[in-house]
Every structure is written in structure tokens, then in C-alpha cells.
Amino acid sequence: MTKFFHKKNRPNQEPARIQTTLKDIERAVHEFELNLPKQVKRTVLVDKNNRIDATKLAPYLGGIPTEEYYMSTQTYEIFQEQDRLIPHYLDIVQAAVDDYVDDNNKLPLMPGCVEGRVHYDLLMQQYYLKEKPPFPLFITDDEYMLTHHI
């Protein structure tokens, strides 16, 4: 009887720390989302710094990643630690582009740029954007979502 009692009151063990790849995280986020109620989005995994709460993914990964991962709440793209600034800028610029398009019925594109590069100066001049990203972002044909690569 005492053996049973001690097991019951033993604190839960921490999940193991594991090595993961970006593909592992993407798969786990997808599986996590499949188990959410329809009205809840995968962004519940993300904190204010775009960091993914890996403890919520532990059941899908078999442990907690040793690395940090980040996700854009606007585009859902996932990034590794070395690219942690990208989701922040994707989120603020995506919101600015959406607002600009709603107000002006056109895209804020750099003049003469065929790959769809976002015109940061235009967005800043018209107060849609407060902070200029240190790298270019591009508007895709897929619902005018942004990407950091062409």
C-alpha cells in the first residue's frame, strides 16, 4: 500500500530534452493543431516574442527540444533560433500591408521591383509601419502573404 501511495504523489517527471529539426517542429505543430477545437488557432503555442512553447509540443515530439523555435502569428512560418527576428518582422509588416491594402486597394510594392518587394518607406511615411525591417520581405500571390525569400 505504501508503494502505491508514493507513486501517486511523486511529482511528474520532466520530459526528456531532445534534438529536433525544423521539420520535426513543423510536423508537431501540425499535429497539435489537429487536436485543437476548430475556433482555436495554432498561435496559442506562441508567446509575445514569437517563441514556441515547446512544452505543449512535447507529447508530439517525445520530449522538449534543446533548441528554441519561433513562429509568425500572421504567416505561421516556423524558424530556428538564428532566424528568430524574421517572425517578428513578418508579423508587423504583414499587419501593415493588410491595413494599407484595405485603405488603398493596392499593394505597397517597391517601384520597378518585379519580385514583389514590400515598400517599407511608403508604409512608414503613411504611418502603417513604425519599425523598418533590416532585410527585405516580399508579397506572395498566396492571399498576399509575406515571405522573407523570393
Side-chain angles (χ1 to χ4, degrees), residues 39-144:
Q39 66 275 18
V40 179
K41 296 181 180 181
R42 68 180 90 173
T43 55
V44 299
L45 287 170
V46 181
D47 69 14
K48 66 180 179 176
N49 296 317
N50 294 87
R51 182 178 294 116
I52 293 175
D53 181 353
T55 59
K56 293 177 181 173
L57 295 180
Y60 305 95
L61 293 167
I64 297 177
T66 55
E67 304 86 17
E68 296 286 347
Y69 291 89
Y70 300 80
M71 183 171 65
S72 164
T73 60
Q74 297 288 315
T75 68
Y76 297 151
E77 195 172 355
I78 299 171
F79 299 89
Q80 294 175 296
E81 177 72 30
Q82 68 266 20
D83 296 324
R84 70 184 171 277
L85 293 179
I86 296 173
H88 164 73
Y89 287 112
L90 278 172
D91 288 352
I92 64 171
V93 177
Q94 183 70 62
V97 167
D98 292 346
D99 290 344
Y100 181 88
V101 170
D102 287 346
D103 292 347
N104 298 283
N105 294 317
K106 62 182 180 177
L107 295 170
L109 299 173
M110 291 285 292
C113 193
V114 294
E115 66 266 357
R117 186 172 174 179
V118 177
H119 194 325
Y120 298 144
D121 293 332
L122 174 65
L123 292 174
M124 291 183 80
Q125 288 167 359
Q126 295 189 21
Y127 304 103
Y128 291 98
L129 188 61
K130 295 178 182 177
E131 183 180 356
K132 192 174 184 177
F135 48 82
L137 292 173
F138 304 91
I139 300 174
T140 69
D141 292 334
D142 183 22
E143 299 181 13
Y144 301 132

